Structure formats: structure tokens, C-alpha cells
Amino acid sequence: MKLYTTKVILGLFLLFTQFIFAQNLHKSQFQVKGNCEMCKERIESTALKAGATAARYSIDLQTLTLETSDNITSEDILKKIAEAGHDNEKFKASDETYQKLPGCCHYERETQTEKKLTAENHNHSKGENEFFVKGNCESCKARIEKAAKSAGAKSADWNAEKQTITLDFDSSKTSADQILKKIAEVGHDNEKYKTPDDVYKKLPGCCLYDRETAFGEANANVHSDQNATIHDSKKHTDSDSDHQHDKNAKNIEEVKVSASKAATSINKKEAGLVFNIDKKELLKAACCNLSESFETNATVDVSFSNAVTGTKQLKMLGLDQKYTSLTKELLPEIRGLASAYGLNFIPGRWIESIQLTKGGSTVTSGYESITGQINTELIKHSEKSETSLNLFSDFNGRAEANITHVEPINDHWTQTFLLHGNGTFGDTDMNDDGFLDRPKGTQLNAAYLLNFNDLEKSGFGSHFGINFVKDERTAGQIGFDKKLPQDKQTAYGVGIDISRFQVWNKTGYVFKGKPYQSLGWMNQYVYHQQDSFFGLRNYSGQQHTYYSNLIFESIIGNTNHKYKTGASFMYDRYNEDYLTNNFRRNEVVPGIFAEYTLTGLKYTLVAGARADFHNLAGTQFTPRLNFKYDFTPQTILRLSAGRGFRTTSVFAENQQYFASNRNIQILQNGGDIYGLKPEIAWNFGASLQQEFKLFGRKSTLMVDFFRTDFQDQVLVDLDRSPQQLTFYNLEGKSFANSFQTQWDFTPFKNFEVRLAYKYYDVQADYMDGRREIPFMAKHRGFVNLAYATNKNTKGGFWSFDTTLNVVGKQRLPNTASNPVEFQIPAYSQSYAVVNAQISRNFNQKIRAYVGGENLTSYYQKNAIVDFRNPFGNYFDGGMVYAPIMKANFYVGLDVSF
């Protein structure tokens, strides 16, 4: 005991001694360039020899922290460090000294061009009393402006988008230098002072800006959407697209503001693998609706339109769209009866951003996400009244018009009007089989959004939306008359009429004085009605859905430890008729969830779990985990694991097979949904993101691998017989392995290149043995090239975009029992598809574009089996694996008022 007491006293004495000596020491931090441990040792030893009391160099942050006494200046030390070969913010090493460093120590030096650009940024992009200050969000803004005023500024206005502060001060009482020093002391790097590491680390997680970004560059954690969305701010992160909205829209839990960045970017702050797709990316292709929004994206695969119904489906990680959570404004959107055609109900010109999460998303988003989440944010923010008109037409009889109007009502209220109409009027039959290559019909789509934002004062924010869709389409043989009953005419026809109505609200409250603590509540009601026929088969369905989600977010001790907790409720009422059979079910699902986020200097851990009490599927436990580790700011490792479950709507999700002679058979096994059990799956993933310089410009290499394992998967068996479509629960194994590598780089100014390769191994144990899932190519290649000219004085420029998709062979369903002339091969051929677009921005208000799809004109020649006898035993319009239309050209015009 005596020895222990002695150690304690000695320890306290040493601490006290250090404290006394520290009173006469000065601590400061400087930018110093270096690469490796040899650099670190050289820099620190040089600093100590030059008189520093202590020197600590961070390779990752490229910073040197010095402690010096009164008789030693930091300039003397930094001069010696430059003489040793290391450029710093005060002095530059001579070329001769730099060249003598070992090869591993040759850090990247600032070129004369970069110096000039930096000088131009400082000299021309801001006013006399405007200074660069780094930050992310509203909490940053409040902290920065408060610090400036405490240092004597009369007024201070920090702009997140420009990353600048505008000061008004009396130079006889204070100075810009004093104000900026105070701002650095509270945690924000600026063009004169750098914040100490320990102060930076103590900032809330939402305020941890990127310290590597040069002053004057756009902040990847900031976007123009001050969206009061009440949901996972992790899901709303990083926009310009970091528009996942950074997806970062501070959802009320974290309102963030944005600048223009890359059209598609990876949110470096997210624990999960999140891609932020901005409106700028969507303009690279025709993008008439959500299904066409991923033509320039390598992560999502888009199936080609069904030969009879014209439907497209998304695939991710080698699995069908139904395993991906598709949300709008972070509310459940394309699910249930909307599965087949829902992608057509979100017009491309309405989309402000898309946030794509690969792998398991967080538990706050619900239980249905298995392979990831795709969230769409609608246009709803503008500083001034703005109206946009889009007109589009292709050369085969398709036309559409979009009108969007965003109008600030006052300082707190904004409203948005969205109107869309499209029509397909031409008879397109490029393979001369007598069937339309795509349906004819019309759609009317209208939405109204109302937003309230008073987060800074009252802490309240709210978003209201209402949407109505009326969609009618006719397909089948040319000459079919929809006005006549099918049994009164010989031509085969398909008719699909859909009415859809939605209303939703998201309201949130940020606690006063506690920007890290918030409460959000989301509610939505959806009505969906479909009436359809496929030849002599009738299918109709009605769905009523009510969804509610309540989320509370706060911290434990400090903002390095965050948590979210809440409760959700989902109610689905289905009423379906297929032929003479009626299927009704009510799904009632209350749920609870909790999520914890641990943030360290180099890592982020998000661990969550939810319990859902499904009246038909029983109690389901859904854990999910996401982990990110930054080896360096340029090298990021992500790991994820999670569970998900869903109930299957076997009719709605498989309508592409209705236009056939196949009889539907459900092999029941005692479950409560069509006699089937719910699907359960585990998803595991790992990804490595590496940034580096190529040709002096930023380059990013991404490699990821995901595996999904199923339990009780509802298999869609097309192989038992060409005359049957059989559904049953999996007995055995079903898995999907997905590997993707993607390289984004810029060879020269304004020219962006994206290359990707994907490998899929997707297999399942069917009743008669293990087989590959049909219509899934093992190998896929992707190339996207984008070039834009420099803007002229009026803001005009040209854009050129080209995308190449190479699709390997795919296993096709077994048709061996058909007569030889009605058999299809076991595997399809490999093929390539090229899309291209040229656009001209005449100024900031007018843009015209012309483009072509499937410019290689590769098409599936026998897309419909036995097309001459559509009412016979062998007719099948669901065997589509490639384009069914040859090259198609389009023109469009965008005008803003």
C-alpha cells in the first residue's frame, strides 16, 4: 500500500511539473509534406535539433505539431525542416535537396499551375473581408459565427457552400488575424490558422470536415439541400451528389448545405458504402424515369424491357430488384403491387439526387433491405423562384413533358410543383414478329411538396408531399383493339391500367442548445390499384399501405458516441385476383430498433438491431453492422454484415412472365403468405477505396465483394416445364457472390473516365438440383466516358457522354421439352450495348441534347417464343435477356425561367 501511495504521489508530481513547464511553452501546428516513417523521423529530429521542445508529425494529416519556448520561433524550425528536404506552409525545400531524398520520401509537390489556381481562388473567389473557413453543417455555422463575434467581429456570415466567412469588424479594436485565430481555437481550420488535433477530434461527428480538401475546393460533406428529412442522416449524406444527399441532407437530425462536386461520388464519411448520384449525373443520359437513371452507373444492372409488358427491373449484387429497398424521401416506395412498374412512376426530371447504399443499410430504414437501398430525393429547394420545362421525344413515337416549379414562400416555407406527362404512340416492331417492342399508352403524374424549415430558431422542420399517378398502357400484337374484349378478337393483347395516390409528412425537432439531439416522425399512406389482362388471363390488385417511423437521436457523453432509437409501424392490405382465384392478406408489423455509432479518429462503427412483430411472419430479429477504417485519408476499408427479411408478392413481382402460356403453381408449405414462408437473408460485404493522383489529378479505385445467403427464399422456377411457373420455398442453399472493381480517373481537364468489371456467382438449390439463377451474366464490363468543354462567358458549354456495357453469356430457362422450333439455347450469347449523348448548354437557362441508345443495334431476334400462335401451348414472352429494339435516337430541350 505504501509503495502504491508513493507511485501515485510521484506521478502527480511529474504531471504537476509538466504543467508548470507547459505554461512557458507554445503549441502550434503546421502543414508539412512527407510520405513515410523515414520522413517522420527526419522532420521530428530536425525540429528538435532546431530548438523545439517537442515535435510530433502526422503522416496521415501531413501536419507537424510543435512545442516551443519563448526564445525559439516556429519560423526558424520550419526553415530548417525545408532545408532538410520537406516543403511546408512557410518554406519550400530546394529542388536539389528534394531530389536527394530517398525515393520513398518523394512526396507530391505543388506544381506552378496548382499554385496559380490556388492564388486565383484566394484572389478572385472572395471579397476583401472574406476568408476560407472549413466546416460542414448548421452546428459548424453557429460555432464559427459565435467565435468570430466573441473575438470582436460586429457581424459574421459563414457560407457552407463556399466554405467562407464574411466579416465586418472595427480594425481599431480587433483584426481578421485575431478572429481567425479564435475560430481555429474552437475547431475550424482556416486560411491562417489550423486547429489542434485534439480540438478537432472533439467536434460532433457531423462537424468533422475533410481536413485534406484544399481551401477553395468544394466540401464533399456539404450540399445545397437544407432538407428537413426526418431520417438517418447517414442515409442522407454527401451530395453533389455526394447527394446521397451527402445523401447528407441533414435530415433534421443533421441539416447540411451543399456545393457542386463530382456527379457521382462515394461518401467518405459513411461507415457503409454509399454512392451519391447528383442531378448532374442524371443529365448524362435520357433518364426519363428512375429505371433509366442508372445507365451511367456501374453498380446497378438494369434489365431490358420485357417484349410484351415493357417493364424494366433493377438488379444489385447479382439479385433481383425486390431484394433492394427502394425508397423516396426515405419512405418505402417501390414494393408490393408497385414492384413491376414502380420505376416508371418517378420521372427523371423530378429527381434532385439519388443515394445508393450497397450492402446492408441501417436498421432505421426498416427490415426489408437485403442487398442495399436506393433512395430518391425530389426537387424541393431553391433560393429563388425557379421554373423548368423539359421536352423529350424519340424517333419511334415516344414523347414526354416535365414542368417543375420551386418557389420560396418566405424565409421558412418553400413549395414545389411537379408535373409529368408522357405518351408512346408509335407502333414499334423492329424484329417483324407482329408484336409491339414496347407498349403504347400514356401517363399523367403530378406532385406537390411543401417544406418548412426553422431549425435555427424554433428547432422545427417539416416536409409534406402528395402525389397522384394515372398510367395506362396497351401491348401485344399490332392491331389489337383495347376497346374490344380479348375473347372478341384474334389479336393477342395486354392491357395495364394503374392508379396510385400517396400522401406523406416528415416532421422533426432539434433540441435547443443541443444540435446533436433530435426527434423525427415520418408518416405515409399509399393507395395502389392495378387492373390488367394478359391475353385471356386477368390480374387485378389493390394495396393500401400505412407507414410510420419515429426516431430519437442523441449522444452518450460526447458526440463520439451517438445513438438512435425508435419505433416503426407498417400496415399492408392486399386484395388480388388472378384468373378465378382471390388472394387477400393483411400484414401488420410494429417494430422497435436501436443503433449506436462510435466515431474515432480513424474509424466509424455503426451497430444496430431491430425487432419486428409481424402478424404473419412471426417475430423477426434484424441485426446490422457497418465498420469503416481509414488507414489514411486516401485508403478506406469498409466491412458490413446484416440480416433482412421480406414477404413475397408472387404475382405482382413476376408479371413479366404473365404474357405466356405458363400455368402458375404455388407449392405451399404451411406459411401464411400464399402458403409460403417469409424470405430471410444474410448479407456480408467488404470494400477497399483507394485514392491517388494520376496525371496530377484525383483518381479513385474501388474494389468490393459481397455475399448473400438465403433461408426460405421463394424460388421462381422456370425450368420444371416451359408450360409452368412454379413458386416454392428454398430447401437447401441459395447464395449470391458479387465482386466489382471500379476505377474513376480524369486523364485531363474536363474528361472523366469510369471503368468497371463485375463478376457474379448466383446459384440456388432447386427441386431437381443446384443451378445458376437464369438471366444473370457472370461477367460484365462497363466503360463511361464524359467530356465537357470550358464554359464561355454566358455559361454555355458542350457535353459528350458515352457508355459501353458488355454483358457475358447468361443461363436461360430449360425449354428442352418443347418442339425443336420452340426451344431456346441453354446459354445466351455475349453482347455489347453503346449509349451516347451530346448536349449543348447555350447559357444557364437553355440546354438541348440529342442521343442514341443501343447504337450497336444488337437485339434479341426471337424475344417471343412461338409468336405466331400467342394462344398456343408454347407461347412465351418472358424469355428476355437482351435488347429487343435496335438503335433508337432521341432529342430533348431543357429551359429554366
Side-chain angles (χ1 to χ4, degrees), residues 134-137 139-140 143-144 183-189 195-211 516 555 558-562 599-600:
K134 291 190 176 183
N136 278 349
C137 60
S139 295
C140 295
R143 186 183 306 109
I144 292 167
I183 290 172
E185 290 174 357
V186 300
H188 292 273
D189 294 349
T195 298
D197 285 352
D198 57 339
V199 176
Y200 172 79
K201 294 175 192 174
K202 291 178 181 177
L203 291 175
C206 63
C207 299
L208 294 178
Y209 50 86
D210 188 349
R211 308 191 84 179
Y516 51 80
I555 63 174
N558 60 55
T559 52
N560 289 334
H561 305 271
K562 290 183 178 180
T599 304

Side-chain angles (χ1 to χ4, degrees), residues 281-499:
E281 183 75 37
L282 304 182
L283 293 177
K284 292 182 178 181
C287 191
C288 294
N289 55 57
L290 185 60
S291 70
E292 298 173 334
S293 300
F294 301 97
E295 291 185 359
T296 60
N297 181 281
T299 297
V300 176
D301 302 310
V302 182
S303 67
F304 293 96
S305 295
N306 178 274
V308 177
T309 61
T311 57
K312 287 185 177 181
Q313 294 282 297
L314 305 180
K315 295 184 179 182
M316 196 156 69
L317 306 188
L319 292 167
D320 289 340
Q321 166 185 306
K322 58 190 177 185
Y323 298 113
T324 300
S325 175
L326 298 172
T327 60
K328 182 175 71 180
E329 300 288 337
L330 287 171
L331 293 158
E333 177 67 9
I334 302 173
R335 55 186 297 277
L337 299 191
S339 299
Y341 309 104
L343 294 174
N344 299 323
F345 300 153
I346 302 180
R349 283 300 188 273
W350 290 16
I351 299 173
E352 188 167 66
S353 67
I354 298 173
Q355 300 89 45
L356 191 159
T357 303
K358 202 172 182 179
S361 59
T362 63
V363 294
T364 58
S365 302
Y367 55 82
E368 292 182 319
S369 171
I370 291 174
T371 58
Q373 179 179 8
I374 298 175
N375 179 62
T376 303
E377 293 290 331
L378 302 180
I379 295 173
K380 52 186 173 292
H381 298 96
S382 180
E383 294 181 0
K384 59 182 181 180
S385 181
E386 184 174 291
T387 302
S388 296
L389 169 67
N390 165 253
L391 300 175
F392 170 94
S393 178
D394 72 13
F395 290 11
N396 288 291
R398 175 183 173 184
E400 73 168 57
N402 297 276
I403 299 175
T404 64
H405 176 74
V406 187
E407 179 184 5
I409 300 173
N410 55 37
D411 290 342
H412 302 305
W413 291 91
T414 305
Q415 62 180 348
T416 303
F417 299 89
L418 303 172
L419 183 63
H420 166 88
N422 73 55
T424 302
F425 308 103
D427 291 341
T428 305
D429 180 19
M430 295 187 178
N431 59 359
D432 297 321
D433 62 4
F435 277 79
L436 295 172
D437 291 340
R438 62 182 179 187
K440 296 193 297 184
T442 59
Q443 181 188 120
L444 178 64
N445 198 339
Y448 174 74
L449 311 176
L450 183 65
N451 296 279
F452 172 76
N453 187 345
D454 190 30
L455 296 171
E456 293 186 14
K457 294 183 179 179
S458 68
F460 279 100
S462 187
H463 166 67
F464 168 83
I466 187 169
N467 182 207
F468 173 76
V469 181
K470 181 65 175 177
D471 186 273
E472 299 179 348
R473 64 183 70 198
T474 305
Q477 290 181 305
I478 295 175
F480 173 78
D481 187 351
K482 191 179 179 182
K483 297 177 182 178
L484 297 176
Q486 178 66 83
D487 58 3
K488 302 297 183 184
Q489 55 185 316
T490 57
Y492 182 95
V494 173
I496 303 166
D497 295 341
I498 295 175
S499 298

Side-chain angles (χ1 to χ4, degrees), residues 23 147 178 200 224 250 281 323 338 348 354 372 414 576 605 678 730 740:
Q23 306 314 300
Q178 288 177 305
Y200 172 79
S224 58
K250 175 157 182 334
E281 183 75 37
Y323 298 113
I354 298 173
T414 305
E576 297 173 280
L605 173 69
L730 169 75
Q740 178 175 333

